Structure formats: C-alpha cells, structure tokens
Amino acid sequence: MTDVNNTQTVSQFPCDNCLRSGRCLGSVVVKAGADHQRASEVTVVQLQRGQPLFRTGDAANAVYVVQSGALKARRTSYEGDEEILAFRLPGDAIGLDALGQRMQNTEAVALCSTRVCRVPLEALHRELRSSPEVSEMLFDDVGREFERLHEHLQTERRPAQARIAAFLLAQLKRRQRLFGAQIDRFTLPMTRVDLGRYLALATETVSRMFTRLQQDGVISCDGNAVQVLKATALEAMAGAGAEERAPALAKAA
Amino acid sequence: MTDVNNTQTVSQFPCDNCLRSGRCLGSVVVKAGADHQRASEVTVVQLQRGQPLFRTGDAANAVYVVQSGALKARRTSYEGDEEILAFRLPGDAIGLDALGQRMQNTEAVALCSTRVCRVPLEALHRELRSSPEVSEMLFDDVGREFERLHEHLQTERRPAQARIAAFLLAQLKRRQRLFGAQIDRFTLPMTRVDLGRYLALATETVSRMFTRLQQDGVISCDGNAVQVLKATALEAMAGAGAEERAPALAKAA
DNA sequence: CGTAATTTTGATGGTCATCAATGTAAGTGG
DNA sequence: CCACTTACATTGATGACCATCAAAATTACG
C-alpha cells in the first residue's frame, strides 16, 4: 500500500518486531483500543533516506513514534534556509507540536532507512478518554519535548565547543538508554551540515570543533563514527564556558 | 487564606471577574466539572511583583492560567545566572512543560501585581476524560507553546536588531488580540535586563537597539512605555537580516 | 572513474559581549 | 523631606568568537 507521499504502510500489527513495544505512545494507544474491542488504526510507515514523513502545510491529523532509524524535524528560516529543530531517534514522538494546529508547521525527513508508527489524532483523542495510560504517556512525551527544547535553548546560548560537547553527550546518553548498555561509540545519523543547522553553527565551525576534540584526545572519529574517549572532559566542556578551554597557550607570551 | 509560598487564594468562583472566562483551559475545566456536579478545585492566586508562583523543584501538581498581570518563566543556566524562557500574559497557560514530570524545572515569577488561575493536575486529568473540550483546549495550549518555542529558537538565531524588532511586534500583536483593538502603544512589564535574558542579548545591546529604533523613528519610548510608529519597518527588520539595516553609510567612502 | 556533495583548513572581518563609567529612577530610613 | 542605597538604563571603547569567503581534500555515488 502506498500513500500520497509515496511512503509505505507496512503492517497491521504495528508493535510486532518493534523494540519499543509497550513503552511508547503508539503501543499504549493500540492496547487501549484493543481493550475496547476496537480495531487498531495505528499503522507503520517505512521511509527511505531523504523521504519526508510529512511536509509543512500538510494536514496535522496524526502523531508519530519512531520505531527504528532517525529523522530530522525541520523548518524554513526567514532567509529561506533550513533550520533543524530536533533529531528523532527510536522511541521519540513526532508531531506533538502540531497538537491543536490544523497544519504541520514543520517537516519531518528520514535521515536513513526508518520505520515510524502512525497514530491518527482521532484514535489518540478517543483512547485518551478511554484509558488513563494514554494521557499519562502523552503527557510524558509532551513534558519531555518541552524539557528538550528548554535544554536546547540553553545550549544554543553557549560557545560553539560547549554546544558540540553537549550534543555528543546527549547522543551518547540517548544511545546508552536505548541499548541499555554502557557503550562509548556510535554512528551519527546526520551530516555536519545538519548538525550546524541544529546547533546554529556554521558547518565550518562544527568541523573545526570536531577536529579540536580529536586533537585534545576527547573523542576519536572516522566520518560519522564517533568514539567518546573522555566523557568527563566532554561534560566539563558542556558545562563550562569558553573561559577554561585552553589552559595551553595561556602564558605562552 | 495563605499557602506555603505566601500567595493568596482569592475566590471560589475563579472565572468571576476574569476577562478570559470561557476562552481558557481553566474555565473549560471548571465547566466540565460543573457539568458533572463536581465542586471546582480551580482556585485563583494573587501575586505581588517579584513573588514566585512556584519554584524549581516544587511538586508539579497543577497547571496555571494567567488572568491578569504578567509573569516570567525562568531557569538557571550552567553559569548560575537567570535565563528567561517565556513571558506570560493574560490567557497564557503556565506549567505545561511540567506535564509528565514530577517536579517543576522552571520557576514562574510575577512581573507585577498578577492573578493566576490554578488548575490541579488531578482535576485536569479527570475532566480530560469527561469532556472533549478540555483535551481540545489543552492541545491548543500545548501546540501554541511549541509553536512559540520554535519561533523563539528562530528569533534567537537572528541579529540583535531583528530579535528586538520581532519581540516588539509579538508584544504588539499580543496586546491587539488581548484588547481586540488596533492599539499602537503599550507598556512592557519587563525590564531591559529581563529582555536581554529572554533574547540572549547583553543588557547593553538591548539598550542600544532601543536607542537605534528611536533614532530611526520606528518607535518612540519613555522607559517601558513603547509606541510603535512604523510597524511595517519593524516587520522588515524582524524578517530581514543585518544585510539591509543601514542603507545610510553604504557608499559613503 | 568522473561528477557532485561533503568535509576540512586557512584568512578576514563583523557582531556583539565585556569592561568601565555615568546617568536616572526607585525605594529606604533618618 | 532629603541623603543614601540599590536597581536599572544608557553610552563608549575594546576585543573575542564565530560567520563568511575561498579553496583544497576527501568521500559518495551513478
């Protein structure tokens, strides 16, 4: 089955094969519906890299949950270039910002091969009234997203190096939670350009910061494959400002 | 009656004397409760200038709606100084970002004498299931707040002058909606310091921008009383970048 | 294997934070 | 009511951080 956007609807049983099953908005809605003998209207959408889940102006008639893969939430700035509001990883909800709006104000684009759960607003509204678990999960997601935006605002007010450090740390922790293990390496699904557009930095600055982090032995990376060597150093950089960055050339004169 | 925070609970009939009655989350919850013969748990809180509605770490057991006055939503940065996430005017919801969280991550402080409607989360959850109007109003508020944050992120990526222009325009439109009239003058409830902490600008920069706007005849202001003389010029500045700011000294060499 | 996209590195300049000082308003207590 | 304190606002001088421009190097891909 193929819809307008040329995306693929995959399965009637959205939670089959999904690792997030039971811990996401989609599955809670599915369960609430099943408890009342209602057929699930939740479907799975498969996207290829670069393919949009929805575009600005599309009718906002569903929210989504990432099953696997990654997406970026984008928006077009006054100057006409892309601004990235968020990267979405498995478990993340998409489209909560369109609650109460008629149209999407943002665009969601897959960064790689990606599976997404589609929860129609109609179903969400209905099951919201039928089961308190739904509203709890929804509130959780909404609260988390607000919290993330607030953190992001703070991050953007800090020097470039701190922004990158904070971003890498967030990614690291996110993966650790996702896999439930103490990993120290991962592959970034986004390009340096995307990263710049997310952190409000020029691509060149992003690149320079990566270079510096490697020189300082804080990370090691090959392309988008990153290994965190000194997590504590990253935390220090993310927390501290520029003041205590390079004690090296301090008194070199 | 006085609670822990030394705030005052005013009336058993929260919507009496409130101009937002019927058009806010609070009144919808009150109505939904009344329709089911439930006593309203919605109360009105009176705050003086500088007084907090809640603090970081407080139990997040209610959301609020501004009846009159103004507040700022603040947070403490890594460096320990204040960061302002939002200013709240009559009709605005407060504390939506704490949905799904146990504690408040932000602090809400009155900028002047202010009345706020307090809606316990318990009541919200209950009426959410009893009446679709509640969820619709809640979704509206949530969506609007996301939208505002997204706009704010964009604004912070623009030059200082554009940020101030965008802010003034937003204030202007907000007041016009509030009063339902084409006003061109209003009094800002916040100081230049607050403004800087909201727009991520040094106080000095804020001041300089106000000075420049007056010199250019775009606004006229006496302290916090602002009159917008050329709204279109403001829009141009808010939209455009720094490139086309001063056509004056362009070819003066 | 050639074209395009992305990444990296260097040089330069602009915007705005910072430091410093003065001016103004607001509030306090004698 | 007036000195005094404290907060807020304005204006100027200086420099840091990072965007921008330019170009080379690497990677991706048809």
PDB file of all heavy atoms in Angstrom, chain A residues 22 29 31 45 72 91 108 116-117 138 141 152 154 174 176 186 192 202 204 218 220 238 244 252:
ATOM      1  N   GLY A  22       5.211  -1.336  24.060  1.00  0.00           N
ATOM      2  CA  GLY A  22       4.814  -1.245  25.466  1.00  0.00           C
ATOM      3  C   GLY A  22       5.351  -0.007  26.129  1.00  0.00           C
ATOM      4  O   GLY A  22       4.861   0.429  27.158  1.00  0.00           O
ATOM      5  N   VAL A  29      -1.739   3.357  22.862  1.00  0.00           N
ATOM      6  CA  VAL A  29      -2.993   3.615  22.155  1.00  0.00           C
ATOM      7  C   VAL A  29      -3.542   2.313  21.567  1.00  0.00           C
ATOM      8  O   VAL A  29      -4.745   2.034  21.653  1.00  0.00           O
ATOM      9  CB  VAL A  29      -2.793   4.668  21.038  1.00  0.00           C
ATOM     10  CG1 VAL A  29      -4.027   4.741  20.144  1.00  0.00           C
ATOM     11  CG2 VAL A  29      -2.486   6.025  21.639  1.00  0.00           C
ATOM     12  N   LYS A  31      -3.070  -0.679  22.659  1.00  0.00           N
ATOM     13  CA  LYS A  31      -3.572  -1.501  23.760  1.00  0.00           C
ATOM     14  C   LYS A  31      -4.930  -0.986  24.252  1.00  0.00           C
ATOM     15  O   LYS A  31      -5.864  -1.774  24.437  1.00  0.00           O
ATOM     16  CB  LYS A  31      -2.574  -1.491  24.917  1.00  0.00           C
ATOM     17  CG  LYS A  31      -3.000  -2.408  26.061  1.00  0.00           C
ATOM     18  CD  LYS A  31      -1.932  -2.509  27.125  1.00  0.00           C
ATOM     19  CE  LYS A  31      -2.418  -3.382  28.288  1.00  0.00           C
ATOM     20  NZ  LYS A  31      -3.694  -2.913  28.849  1.00  0.00           N
ATOM     21  N   VAL A  45       4.862   3.046   9.041  1.00  0.00           N
ATOM     22  CA  VAL A  45       5.293   3.668   7.797  1.00  0.00           C
ATOM     23  C   VAL A  45       6.783   3.451   7.606  1.00  0.00           C
ATOM     24  O   VAL A  45       7.557   3.636   8.543  1.00  0.00           O
ATOM     25  CB  VAL A  45       5.005   5.186   7.825  1.00  0.00           C
ATOM     26  CG1 VAL A  45       5.500   5.835   6.547  1.00  0.00           C
ATOM     27  CG2 VAL A  45       3.519   5.441   8.020  1.00  0.00           C
ATOM     28  N   LYS A  72      14.927  14.067  11.019  1.00  0.00           N
ATOM     29  CA  LYS A  72      15.132  15.427  11.487  1.00  0.00           C
ATOM     30  C   LYS A  72      13.834  16.196  11.342  1.00  0.00           C
ATOM     31  O   LYS A  72      13.085  15.991  10.388  1.00  0.00           O
ATOM     32  CB  LYS A  72      16.258  16.122  10.722  1.00  0.00           C
ATOM     33  CG  LYS A  72      16.064  16.215   9.219  1.00  0.00           C
ATOM     34  CD  LYS A  72      17.240  16.933   8.551  1.00  0.00           C
ATOM     35  CE  LYS A  72      17.152  16.827   7.029  1.00  0.00           C
ATOM     36  NZ  LYS A  72      18.305  17.466   6.362  1.00  0.00           N
ATOM     37  N   GLY A  91      11.720   5.606  19.685  1.00  0.00           N
ATOM     38  CA  GLY A  91      11.018   5.912  20.929  1.00  0.00           C
ATOM     39  C   GLY A  91      10.509   7.336  20.969  1.00  0.00           C
ATOM     40  O   GLY A  91       9.589   7.647  21.708  1.00  0.00           O
ATOM     41  N   ALA A 108       9.178  16.612   8.643  1.00  0.00           N
ATOM     42  CA  ALA A 108       9.974  15.528   9.225  1.00  0.00           C
ATOM     43  C   ALA A 108      10.560  14.695   8.108  1.00  0.00           C
ATOM     44  O   ALA A 108       9.823  14.189   7.266  1.00  0.00           O
ATOM     45  CB  ALA A 108       9.116  14.671  10.137  1.00  0.00           C
ATOM     46  N   VAL A 116       8.359   4.214  11.179  1.00  0.00           N
ATOM     47  CA  VAL A 116       7.639   5.117  12.065  1.00  0.00           C
ATOM     48  C   VAL A 116       6.221   4.595  12.292  1.00  0.00           C
ATOM     49  O   VAL A 116       5.603   4.076  11.379  1.00  0.00           O
ATOM     50  CB  VAL A 116       7.559   6.529  11.447  1.00  0.00           C
ATOM     51  CG1 VAL A 116       6.751   7.457  12.333  1.00  0.00           C
ATOM     52  CG2 VAL A 116       8.953   7.081  11.218  1.00  0.00           C
ATOM     53  N   CYS A 117       5.750   4.708  13.515  1.00  0.00           N
ATOM     54  CA  CYS A 117       4.388   4.337  13.870  1.00  0.00           C
ATOM     55  C   CYS A 117       3.492   5.555  13.695  1.00  0.00           C
ATOM     56  O   CYS A 117       3.792   6.621  14.209  1.00  0.00           O
ATOM     57  CB  CYS A 117       4.366   3.922  15.331  1.00  0.00           C
ATOM     58  SG  CYS A 117       3.597   2.356  15.612  1.00  0.00           S
ATOM     59  N   LEU A 138       1.147  10.336  26.914  1.00  0.00           N
ATOM     60  CA  LEU A 138       1.160  11.555  26.106  1.00  0.00           C
ATOM     61  C   LEU A 138       1.790  12.707  26.888  1.00  0.00           C
ATOM     62  O   LEU A 138       2.653  13.430  26.373  1.00  0.00           O
ATOM     63  CB  LEU A 138      -0.260  11.929  25.685  1.00  0.00           C
ATOM     64  CG  LEU A 138      -0.398  13.214  24.869  1.00  0.00           C
ATOM     65  CD1 LEU A 138       0.311  13.069  23.533  1.00  0.00           C
ATOM     66  CD2 LEU A 138      -1.856  13.586  24.651  1.00  0.00           C
ATOM     67  N   ASP A 141       5.494  12.369  27.049  1.00  0.00           N
ATOM     68  CA  ASP A 141       6.165  12.763  25.814  1.00  0.00           C
ATOM     69  C   ASP A 141       6.175  14.273  25.639  1.00  0.00           C
ATOM     70  O   ASP A 141       7.187  14.861  25.258  1.00  0.00           O
ATOM     71  CB  ASP A 141       5.483  12.094  24.613  1.00  0.00           C
ATOM     72  CG  ASP A 141       5.902  10.629  24.471  1.00  0.00           C
ATOM     73  OD1 ASP A 141       7.038  10.310  24.837  1.00  0.00           O
ATOM     74  OD2 ASP A 141       5.081   9.824  23.996  1.00  0.00           O
ATOM     75  N   HIS A 152      17.756  22.823  24.868  1.00  0.00           N
ATOM     76  CA  HIS A 152      18.326  23.226  23.589  1.00  0.00           C
ATOM     77  C   HIS A 152      18.520  24.742  23.545  1.00  0.00           C
ATOM     78  O   HIS A 152      19.541  25.235  23.058  1.00  0.00           O
ATOM     79  CB  HIS A 152      17.436  22.766  22.449  1.00  0.00           C
ATOM     80  CG  HIS A 152      18.052  22.936  21.109  1.00  0.00           C
ATOM     81  ND1 HIS A 152      19.278  22.391  20.787  1.00  0.00           N
ATOM     82  CD2 HIS A 152      17.644  23.590  20.004  1.00  0.00           C
ATOM     83  CE1 HIS A 152      19.581  22.718  19.551  1.00  0.00           C
ATOM     84  NE2 HIS A 152      18.606  23.446  19.050  1.00  0.00           N
ATOM     85  N   GLN A 154      19.076  26.634  26.057  1.00  0.00           N
ATOM     86  CA  GLN A 154      20.264  26.909  26.884  1.00  0.00           C
ATOM     87  C   GLN A 154      21.537  26.590  26.120  1.00  0.00           C
ATOM     88  O   GLN A 154      22.492  27.364  26.126  1.00  0.00           O
ATOM     89  CB  GLN A 154      20.219  26.064  28.160  1.00  0.00           C
ATOM     90  CG  GLN A 154      19.276  26.573  29.202  1.00  0.00           C
ATOM     91  CD  GLN A 154      19.619  26.048  30.603  1.00  0.00           C
ATOM     92  OE1 GLN A 154      18.762  25.986  31.450  1.00  0.00           O
ATOM     93  NE2 GLN A 154      20.856  25.665  30.830  1.00  0.00           N
ATOM     94  N   ARG A 174      21.651   9.043  25.104  1.00  0.00           N
ATOM     95  CA  ARG A 174      20.471   8.567  24.403  1.00  0.00           C
ATOM     96  C   ARG A 174      20.681   7.134  23.946  1.00  0.00           C
ATOM     97  O   ARG A 174      19.810   6.278  24.113  1.00  0.00           O
ATOM     98  CB  ARG A 174      20.234   9.490  23.207  1.00  0.00           C
ATOM     99  CG  ARG A 174      18.934   9.325  22.501  1.00  0.00           C
ATOM    100  CD  ARG A 174      17.808   9.906  23.331  1.00  0.00           C
ATOM    101  NE  ARG A 174      16.530   9.751  22.625  1.00  0.00           N
ATOM    102  CZ  ARG A 174      15.952   8.606  22.365  1.00  0.00           C
ATOM    103  NH1 ARG A 174      16.530   7.491  22.785  1.00  0.00           N
ATOM    104  NH2 ARG A 174      14.812   8.544  21.712  1.00  0.00           N
ATOM    105  N   GLN A 176      22.860   4.999  25.085  1.00  0.00           N
ATOM    106  CA  GLN A 176      23.009   4.115  26.233  1.00  0.00           C
ATOM    107  C   GLN A 176      21.650   3.715  26.783  1.00  0.00           C
ATOM    108  O   GLN A 176      21.422   2.561  27.133  1.00  0.00           O
ATOM    109  CB  GLN A 176      23.847   4.809  27.313  1.00  0.00           C
ATOM    110  CG  GLN A 176      25.312   4.947  26.907  1.00  0.00           C
ATOM    111  CD  GLN A 176      26.157   5.600  27.973  1.00  0.00           C
ATOM    112  OE1 GLN A 176      25.638   6.120  28.960  1.00  0.00           O
ATOM    113  NE2 GLN A 176      27.478   5.574  27.785  1.00  0.00           N
ATOM    114  N   PHE A 186      29.335   5.302  18.692  1.00  0.00           N
ATOM    115  CA  PHE A 186      28.075   5.260  17.962  1.00  0.00           C
ATOM    116  C   PHE A 186      28.265   5.999  16.638  1.00  0.00           C
ATOM    117  O   PHE A 186      29.267   6.698  16.443  1.00  0.00           O
ATOM    118  CB  PHE A 186      26.956   5.908  18.771  1.00  0.00           C
ATOM    119  CG  PHE A 186      27.286   7.288  19.266  1.00  0.00           C
ATOM    120  CD1 PHE A 186      26.980   8.391  18.491  1.00  0.00           C
ATOM    121  CD2 PHE A 186      27.917   7.474  20.492  1.00  0.00           C
ATOM    122  CE1 PHE A 186      27.296   9.667  18.950  1.00  0.00           C
ATOM    123  CE2 PHE A 186      28.235   8.748  20.943  1.00  0.00           C
ATOM    124  CZ  PHE A 186      27.925   9.847  20.176  1.00  0.00           C
ATOM    125  N   ARG A 192      27.424  16.898   8.987  1.00  0.00           N
ATOM    126  CA  ARG A 192      27.929  18.088   9.683  1.00  0.00           C
ATOM    127  C   ARG A 192      27.042  19.295   9.380  1.00  0.00           C
ATOM    128  O   ARG A 192      26.831  20.160  10.227  1.00  0.00           O
ATOM    129  CB  ARG A 192      29.361  18.390   9.236  1.00  0.00           C
ATOM    130  CG  ARG A 192      30.343  17.266   9.494  1.00  0.00           C
ATOM    131  CD  ARG A 192      30.851  17.282  10.908  1.00  0.00           C
ATOM    132  NE  ARG A 192      31.981  16.377  11.077  1.00  0.00           N
ATOM    133  CZ  ARG A 192      31.874  15.087  11.349  1.00  0.00           C
ATOM    134  NH1 ARG A 192      30.681  14.541  11.475  1.00  0.00           N
ATOM    135  NH2 ARG A 192      32.949  14.338  11.490  1.00  0.00           N
ATOM    136  N   ALA A 202      27.950  27.455  11.879  1.00  0.00           N
ATOM    137  CA  ALA A 202      28.359  27.226  10.501  1.00  0.00           C
ATOM    138  C   ALA A 202      28.994  25.836  10.404  1.00  0.00           C
ATOM    139  O   ALA A 202      29.616  25.366  11.359  1.00  0.00           O
ATOM    140  CB  ALA A 202      29.353  28.292  10.064  1.00  0.00           C
ATOM    141  N   GLU A 204      31.549  24.925   8.955  1.00  0.00           N
ATOM    142  CA  GLU A 204      32.982  25.026   9.193  1.00  0.00           C
ATOM    143  C   GLU A 204      33.305  24.990  10.673  1.00  0.00           C
ATOM    144  O   GLU A 204      34.278  24.354  11.096  1.00  0.00           O
ATOM    145  CB  GLU A 204      33.533  26.329   8.600  1.00  0.00           C
ATOM    146  CG  GLU A 204      33.425  26.432   7.095  1.00  0.00           C
ATOM    147  CD  GLU A 204      32.147  27.102   6.657  1.00  0.00           C
ATOM    148  OE1 GLU A 204      31.114  26.863   7.315  1.00  0.00           O
ATOM    149  OE2 GLU A 204      32.179  27.865   5.672  1.00  0.00           O
ATOM    150  N   VAL A 218      39.744  13.889  23.233  1.00  0.00           N
ATOM    151  CA  VAL A 218      38.475  13.710  23.936  1.00  0.00           C
ATOM    152  C   VAL A 218      37.582  12.716  23.199  1.00  0.00           C
ATOM    153  O   VAL A 218      36.884  11.918  23.802  1.00  0.00           O
ATOM    154  CB  VAL A 218      37.751  15.068  24.089  1.00  0.00           C
ATOM    155  CG1 VAL A 218      36.394  14.876  24.739  1.00  0.00           C
ATOM    156  CG2 VAL A 218      38.606  16.015  24.905  1.00  0.00           C
ATOM    157  N   SER A 220      37.433  10.264  19.344  1.00  0.00           N
ATOM    158  CA  SER A 220      38.130   9.818  18.150  1.00  0.00           C
ATOM    159  C   SER A 220      37.036   9.548  17.148  1.00  0.00           C
ATOM    160  O   SER A 220      36.010   8.962  17.492  1.00  0.00           O
ATOM    161  CB  SER A 220      38.935   8.558  18.476  1.00  0.00           C
ATOM    162  OG  SER A 220      38.683   7.557  17.519  1.00  0.00           O
ATOM    163  N   ALA A 238      30.866  20.825  28.219  1.00  0.00           N
ATOM    164  CA  ALA A 238      29.449  21.129  28.023  1.00  0.00           C
ATOM    165  C   ALA A 238      28.958  22.056  29.129  1.00  0.00           C
ATOM    166  O   ALA A 238      28.167  22.955  28.886  1.00  0.00           O
ATOM    167  CB  ALA A 238      28.631  19.847  28.008  1.00  0.00           C
ATOM    168  N   GLU A 244      37.586  28.283  30.455  1.00  0.00           N
ATOM    169  CA  GLU A 244      38.605  27.293  30.832  1.00  0.00           C
ATOM    170  C   GLU A 244      38.835  26.267  29.726  1.00  0.00           C
ATOM    171  O   GLU A 244      38.943  25.087  29.976  1.00  0.00           O
ATOM    172  CB  GLU A 244      38.193  26.580  32.115  1.00  0.00           C
ATOM    173  CG  GLU A 244      36.766  26.068  32.069  1.00  0.00           C
ATOM    174  CD  GLU A 244      36.140  26.035  33.462  1.00  0.00           C
ATOM    175  OE1 GLU A 244      36.666  25.314  34.307  1.00  0.00           O
ATOM    176  OE2 GLU A 244      35.156  26.759  33.692  1.00  0.00           O
ATOM    177  N   ALA A 252      51.905  31.743  27.309  1.00  0.00           N
ATOM    178  CA  ALA A 252      52.933  31.392  26.347  1.00  0.00           C
ATOM    179  C   ALA A 252      53.701  32.628  25.877  1.00  0.00           C
ATOM    180  O   ALA A 252      54.753  32.534  25.265  1.00  0.00           O
ATOM    181  CB  ALA A 252      52.321  30.673  25.146  1.00  0.00           C
TER     182      ALA A 252
END
